[in-house]
Amino acid sequence: MRSLDDLLAEGVSGRRVLLRADLNVPLDKQTRAITDDGRIRASLPTIAALRDAGARVVVAAHLGRPKGAPDPQYSLAPVAARLGELLGAEVPLAADVAGEDARARADALGDGDVLLLENVRFEAAETSKDDAERGELADRLAALADVYVDDAFGAVHRKHASVFDVAQRLPHVAGRLVATELDVLQRLTTDPDRPYVVVLGGSKVSDKLAVIEALLPKVDRLLVGGGMCFTFLAAQGHGVGRSLLEADQVDTCRRLLAEAGERIVLPVDVVVAPEFSADVETAVVAAEQIPDGQMGLDVGPRTVEAFGRELAGARTVFWNGPMGVFELAPFQAGTRGVAEAVAAVDGLSVVGGGDSAAAVRQLGLDEAAYGHISTGGGASLEYLEGRELPGLAVLAD
Ligand code: ADP
Ligand code: MG
């Protein structure tokens, strides 16, 4: 796989570079203001390096899940504005993805200029299963530039036109963010320093069973919190009240518990409430005694202590998925406690997952205390599962 440095060494001054970036940031539902610009900031090193080298940078990115047609709600306009602020330069937004306006603006770029294309998912072809449909969009994208840089780590697990097909049409290299993410993931999968502790949380156990299967043989401890712990507790035969439960996954969880022995560590206590609300009455109960009618919405203080003890001795840690519904103040403590314990690890600490990374920032924790905060939830999980990621495979060619 060629790197950005290889490209810079070759010289990019005056050349048009199509940069696929991951600028898929969360927006406030009402105001459409960016609530967390982490992914824009993570894209800056590659964009700045290209500008400094005199490249004419055409950035392609997606935002949210528009239905394959222009939808002002998903316009990249707020992203163009924020990117411009962070770069200290004007970043115009094309009115289309790879149509007339994009072509005219790409042609007019000067050395060091940056143009943002409108949301690539405004074209249904971007995510199409049909190779020819994606290919037609990839042809138009490729015509905007002479070389392709993929820095959208959060999208490398997608076989999309702007991630996969366009790389087959232009000389291609991996951007700095993709290189950093890969380096960290390799350290998590190849001969990690031990003890190696993985903490998993988040809402859906079915999303994470594959990664549990893949990691279980490699880890010393797997700490399970978040909404997914209740399917494991149910697999142990406990009642979980009205907590999140994926009944069809109980058997798999039971098998994993049997295989893992003491390597899987479940919560010993849980914060429960009768409903999802910021001003509801909460209680801490033993994990095996969740009352009927109550929902487990965070791990309890004894669990934070127990997880903290496991993390304190670890040399390699990967954490994915909040421990509770951290968006609501009464259910933040578990995620905060684990986030602090992960930050204090003496070794490699990696945070993966959009919501986990957002939690770190929202809770006001110091991002610099972590070895790495991954920008790609799905992509990093699929990598850890050992799957081939189309966007990486095509760069390796
Ligand atoms: P990530 O994006 O970091 O991979 P996920 O998307 O898997 O994480 O899960 C994040 C979501 O999980 C959060 O919105 C959080 O509110 C939710 N969650 C965590 N614990 C619980 C719980 N006990 N019950 C319901 N939802 C939960
Ligand atoms: Mg998420």
Side-chain angles (χ1 to χ4, degrees), residues 13 15 61 92 103 105 108 133 138 146 153 180 185 194-195 202 206 241 252 266 298 323 333 344 352-353:
S13 182
R15 290 170 82 189
R103 270 196 305 277
R105 287 175 182 272
E133 278 177 26
D146 316 304
F153 179 73
T180 304
L185 287 168
R194 296 189 178 275
S206 48
T252 309
L266 295 178
D298 195 9
M323 293 293 101

Side-chain angles (χ1 to χ4, degrees), residues 202-203 207-208 320 322 353-356 377:
S203 45
D207 283 352
K208 308 211 172 158
N320 169 277
D355 292 291
S356 311

Side-chain angles (χ1 to χ4, degrees), residues 44-74:
L44 293 176
T46 297
I47 301 177
L50 288 168
R51 286 189 69 211
D52 291 348
R56 305 173 175 201
V57 188
V58 179
V59 184
H62 77 277
L63 180 69
R65 293 174 184 261
K67 304 225 169 339
D71 178 347
Q73 211 191 322
Y74 294 104

Side-chain angles (χ1 to χ4, degrees), residues 10-220:
E10 199 180 286
V12 284
S13 182
R15 290 170 82 189
R16 286 183 311 172
V17 176
L18 179 67
L19 172 68
R20 179 58 162 97
D22 177 8
L23 307 176
N24 188 25
V25 290
L27 300 182
D28 184 275
K29 282 191 184 63
Q30 261 90 52
T31 65
R32 310 308 293 160
I34 296 167
T35 54
D36 178 25
D37 66 359
R39 282 178 162 163
I40 303 179
R41 287 185 289 118
S43 303
L44 293 176
T46 297
I47 301 177
L50 288 168
R51 286 189 69 211
D52 291 348
R56 305 173 175 201
V57 188
V58 179
V59 184
H62 77 277
L63 180 69
R65 293 174 184 261
K67 304 225 169 339
D71 178 347
Q73 211 191 322
Y74 294 104
S75 169
L76 279 168
V79 171
R82 184 72 187 125
L83 181 58
E85 272 167 34
L86 291 167
L87 285 173
E90 189 76 9
V91 177
L93 176 70
D96 49 28
V97 179
E100 231 171 273
D101 192 54
R103 270 196 305 277
R105 287 175 182 272
D107 283 342
L109 286 174
D111 295 358
D113 285 352
V114 180
L115 167 70
L116 181 61
L117 304 176
E118 191 45 289
N119 191 340
V120 280
R121 291 193 185 171
F122 285 181
E123 295 259 6
E126 167 68 0
T127 58
S128 171
K129 295 267 184 286
D130 184 300
D131 292 351
E133 278 177 26
R134 286 198 321 276
E136 185 277 326
L137 172 58
D139 285 341
R140 282 187 283 129
L141 285 167
L144 300 174
D146 316 304
V147 54
Y148 174 71
V149 177
D150 187 6
D151 210 25
F153 179 73
V156 291
H157 58 317
R158 307 288 188 201
K159 194 173 179 181
H160 289 172
S162 70
V163 176
F164 178 78
D165 305 82
V166 76
Q168 298 178 316
R169 289 164 167 76
L170 288 172
H172 45 258
V173 308
R176 293 228 198 285
L177 177 63
V178 164
T180 304
E181 297 270 8
L182 274 180
D183 179 57
V184 168
L185 287 168
Q186 273 156 9
R187 287 166 69 192
L188 290 178
T189 40
T190 318
D191 200 18
D193 283 348
R194 296 189 178 275
Y196 178 15
V197 178
V198 170
V199 192
L200 290 179
S203 45
K204 285 177 75 186
V205 73
S206 48
D207 283 352
K208 308 211 172 158
L209 279 174
V211 78
I212 295 177
E213 301 251 18
L215 288 176
L216 210 42
K218 298 184 174 161
V219 302
D220 298 296

